[in-house]
Amino acid sequence: MFPLTEENKHVAQLLLSTGTCPRCIFRFCGVDFHAPYKLPYKELLNELQKFLETEKDELILEVMNPPPKKIRLQELEDSIDNLSQNGEGRISVSQDGSIASKNSNLNVCNVCLGILQEFCEKDFVKKVCQKVEASGFEFTSLVFSVSFPPQLSVREHAAWLLVKQEMGKQSLSLGRDDIVQLKEAYKWITHPLFSEELGVPIDGKSVFTRMAVMKALNKIKEEDFLKQFPCPPNSPKAVCTVLEIECAHGAVFVAGRYNKYSRNLPQTPWIIDGERKLESSVEELISDHLLAVFKAESFNFSSSGREDVDVRTLGNGRPFAIELVNPHRVHFTSQEIKELQQKINNSSNKIQVRDLQLVTREAIGHMKEGEEEKTKTYSALIWTDKAIQKKDIEFLNDIKDLKIDQKTPLRVLHRRPLAVRARVIHSMETQYVDEHHFRLRLKTQAGTYIKEFVHGDFGRTKPNIGSLMNVTADILELDVESVDVDWPPALDD
């Protein structure tokens, strides 16, 4: 059934006579169901012709025969597709319904600039799909985003004022919200075509326009607008051009736990004043392999806390996650992930990775929670200036849930705000080594600065091991023995 009614006839005739395409006529007549927009363009023109041919006045209609247009997809490195169309065409419908063709070419709509004509055709959809398929991405769904020319909003505003004025003569009204948005109509037409061509579902919330122009149009007075822009809008001589077709994949996330066995390896690249201090890092030893296998453009590394360059991470390791930006390959079997983990472990004796797996963006939140809320266990080798006996350190074993205040350490003050942080030392266990050394095993609140708790940081951490023992103490070695975050899930070897 044709979607227009007798009430729409005058508006349809007015718009068509000024150079508006059938689909835009539907939009201004408030046709808000999908089926009519999906009809082939030639069929739409024929149906509109039948609907209007009973009018006594001569109408100007577009011809769809299919036009001698040339769509050319350039295979260039900049991924720019140029589409060209030549000429204009009109046909006259006389009182008896006969058609006299003046030109065989398609008129470009004065409202949508051919968006609902040229770029809704299967040929154009196939060209875009060829670009997608040639990009080499693996995907199971598609988000289709279109940036329309800003002037479309201005042209639509002009057409709305024209129709609003004419409907006012009939004591009818037309609000801006009564018009079906161009992006919605385009979505209704093209999404099924893209989905059929690519064999994947299309995201329904994927077309966007220039909101700044819309905001300006909402503020301008009608009389001021009409002084600056023709109403109805002029008919363009050519269809708008596709400037660029870009393909990109949503980020994927890989998580795991790492052990660091070197005391000369930073977690992330160590660069001071533009100069690199060490040749590698934990981040790079892991991410370089992931970038290559996932064919990603870049990455973002995060972890549950961090250790200093001279601190080892032992036990079950430290949880980490890596965001891989714009990956071309995303489908991996569990066996392939295991092989990737083994490849990372075989590449260096400084680190080892375990529980490597694909995760969601949302799941990474579990790791970040552990940075402040969970506990961590450390083992430290401590030196004292005064000679000590075993009995001098045994009292530390009895201290439970010791509350300390830590002013931002001097060594990190250049990158952390100055503040006093309250932390808890849950338990301590000592092991005597000799009269100037002992080992201290600590279980602490996450975020505790262990080195400063030992030497005091010139009194910035209170109390500290030095003040508790009434000695000058320093830390010689530090190991992270456990990070008590139950994420990511442990995997079988």
Side-chain angles (χ1 to χ4, degrees):
M1 173 183 281
F2 195 68
L4 301 185
T5 64
E6 288 297 319
E7 187 180 83
N8 304 131
K9 213 163 199 178
H10 183 69
V11 169
Q13 178 182 344
L14 173 66
L15 289 172
L16 194 64
S17 66
T18 60
T20 306
C21 72
R23 288 181 175 124
C24 280
I25 291 173
F26 287 172
R27 296 195 301 117
F28 280 88
C29 290
V31 178
D32 58 0
F33 49 101
H34 304 189
Y37 293 91
K38 297 178 183 179
L39 293 174
Y41 203 80
K42 183 177 180 180
E43 185 175 338
L44 279 179
L45 286 169
N46 290 337
E47 291 296 323
L48 187 59
Q49 174 187 328
K50 291 177 183 178
F51 176 69
L52 295 175
E53 67 185 4
T54 57
E55 292 290 313
K56 293 183 179 180
D57 298 330
E58 184 184 68
L59 305 178
I60 304 298
L61 292 182
E62 295 177 310
V63 67
M64 184 68 181
N65 192 22
K69 59 180 179 285
K70 180 181 180 183
I71 301 179
R72 181 165 54 95
L73 181 69
Q74 296 181 335
E75 295 295 333
L76 299 178
E77 292 182 358
D78 57 3
S79 303
I80 296 180
D81 290 13
N82 294 319
L83 290 88
S84 62
Q85 179 169 336
N86 303 313
E88 300 181 356
R90 292 184 180 272
I91 58 174
S92 298
V93 181
S94 61
Q95 294 181 14
D96 61 2
S98 62
I99 301 175
S101 176
K102 295 181 180 179
N103 194 310
S104 61
N105 288 342
L106 174 69
N107 285 324
V108 180
C109 177
N110 67 333
V111 178
C112 72
L113 297 180
I115 297 291
L116 297 182
Q117 300 168 297
E118 179 85 17
F119 304 120
C120 289
E121 296 298 306
K122 287 187 176 181
D123 285 347
F124 175 74
V125 170
K126 287 183 178 179
K127 297 293 184 183
V128 175
C129 291
Q130 288 173 3
K131 189 77 176 180
V132 174
E133 291 169 346
S135 68
F137 286 101
E138 291 182 347
F139 58 96
T140 55
S141 64
L142 188 75
V143 175
F144 183 60
S145 297
V146 179
S147 180
F148 290 138
Q151 67 164 292
L152 289 182
S153 299
V154 182
R155 287 178 170 273
E156 184 165 295
H157 191 78
W160 169 64
L161 293 179
L162 174 69
V163 175
K164 177 184 175 184
Q165 183 180 25
E166 289 300 314
M167 291 182 67
K169 296 176 183 178
Q170 305 173 49
S171 299
L172 300 173
S173 62
L174 180 70
R176 285 301 303 264
D177 293 338
D178 296 327
I179 304 170
V180 174
Q181 294 186 47
L182 174 62
K183 64 178 183 179
E184 292 299 321
Y186 191 71
K187 185 191 308 181
W188 296 342
I189 301 165
T190 60
H191 278 196
L193 298 176
F194 280 112
S195 184
E196 179 182 2
E197 189 72 22
L198 294 170
V200 298
I202 308 295
D203 190 318
K205 299 179 181 179
S206 57
V207 183
F208 60 88
T209 56
R210 303 296 178 92
M211 293 307 297
V213 177
M214 293 301 298
K215 290 179 181 178
L217 291 174
N218 289 334
K219 293 179 181 179
I220 193 171
K221 295 179 180 179
E222 291 184 10
E223 55 269 27
D224 293 335
F225 178 86
L226 294 174
K227 291 177 183 178
Q228 304 296 328
F229 197 85
C231 180
N234 295 330
S235 294
K237 295 183 179 181
V239 69
C240 62
T241 302
V242 175
L243 293 178
E244 191 171 8
I245 298 176
E246 294 182 345
C247 298
H249 198 292
V252 298
F253 298 84
V254 177
R257 302 177 79 100
Y258 73 79
N259 291 109
K260 180 167 91 74
Y261 302 121
S262 171
R263 296 196 186 277
N264 194 36
L265 182 70
Q267 186 193 65
T268 55
W270 193 6
I271 300 174
I272 299 177
D273 296 331
E275 181 181 352
R276 181 160 191 149
K277 297 301 181 180
L278 294 171
E279 64 179 17
S280 190
S281 65
V282 173
E283 171 187 293
E284 292 164 296
L285 290 175
I286 299 173
S287 299
D288 286 352
H289 294 279
L290 299 183
L291 279 176
V293 173
F294 282 80
K295 299 179 180 178
E297 288 184 359
S298 60
F299 69 91
N300 295 305
F301 181 92
S302 59
S303 63
S304 182
R306 60 186 296 132
E307 67 282 316
D308 291 337
V309 61
D310 58 348
V311 176
R312 298 187 302 178
T313 299
L314 308 177
N316 288 333
R318 185 185 298 277
F320 71 91
I322 296 176
E323 177 187 12
L324 294 161
V325 180
N326 201 23
H328 284 65
R329 185 185 176 192
V330 295
H331 298 145
F332 292 86
T333 65
S334 58
Q335 181 59 36
E336 287 174 324
I337 295 295
K338 285 183 179 180
E339 292 172 358
L340 175 57
Q341 175 177 295
Q342 191 60 47
K343 184 177 181 181
I344 294 172
N345 292 340
N346 291 340
S347 66
S348 174
N349 60 2
K350 295 181 178 181
I351 66 161
Q352 290 281 285
V353 170
R354 60 185 298 159
D355 300 330
L356 195 68
Q357 57 196 275
L358 292 169
V359 298
T360 63
R361 182 188 296 272
E362 293 72 24
I364 296 176
H366 297 301
M367 179 186 72
K368 305 308 288 185
E369 291 170 3
E371 289 189 1
E372 295 295 333
E373 299 177 4
K374 304 298 182 179
T375 61
K376 298 183 180 180
T377 304
Y378 300 87
S379 176
L381 177 61
I382 297 173
W383 168 87
T384 62
D385 65 330
K386 295 180 181 178
I388 59 173
Q389 300 297 321
K390 185 176 182 181
K391 62 181 181 179
D392 296 325
I393 60 174
E394 288 179 342
F395 78 99
L396 296 174
N397 300 332
D398 299 324
I399 298 178
K400 306 298 180 185
D401 296 326
L402 174 66
K403 294 181 180 179
I404 65 173
D405 291 324
Q406 292 197 301
K407 188 178 289 187
T408 305
L410 293 173
R411 63 188 175 92
V412 300
L413 196 55
H414 65 285
R415 56 183 171 88
R416 294 285 176 86
L418 178 61
V420 177
R421 299 170 178 85
R423 293 292 184 261
V424 177
I425 309 298
H426 294 294
S427 64
M428 290 182 280
E429 182 181 333
T430 60
Q431 180 183 351
Y432 184 78
V433 177
D434 58 39
E435 60 182 13
H436 286 287
H437 301 89
F438 69 97
R439 289 198 174 274
L440 179 66
R441 193 169 187 268
L442 314 90
K443 188 169 188 178
T444 74
Q445 179 184 353
T448 303
Y449 292 105
I450 305 301
K451 292 179 178 178
E452 282 67 27
F453 173 62
V454 173
H455 59 61
D457 197 25
F458 301 100
R460 298 170 71 86
T461 291
K462 298 177 180 179
N464 54 70
I465 292 295
S467 66
L468 291 171
M469 294 180 61
N470 195 27
V471 298
T472 298
D474 205 352
I475 189 166
L476 302 182
E477 293 180 354
L478 180 63
D479 294 330
V480 180
E481 293 197 343
S482 73
V483 179
D484 300 330
V485 179
D486 297 328
W487 190 89
L491 302 178
D492 295 333
D493 292 335

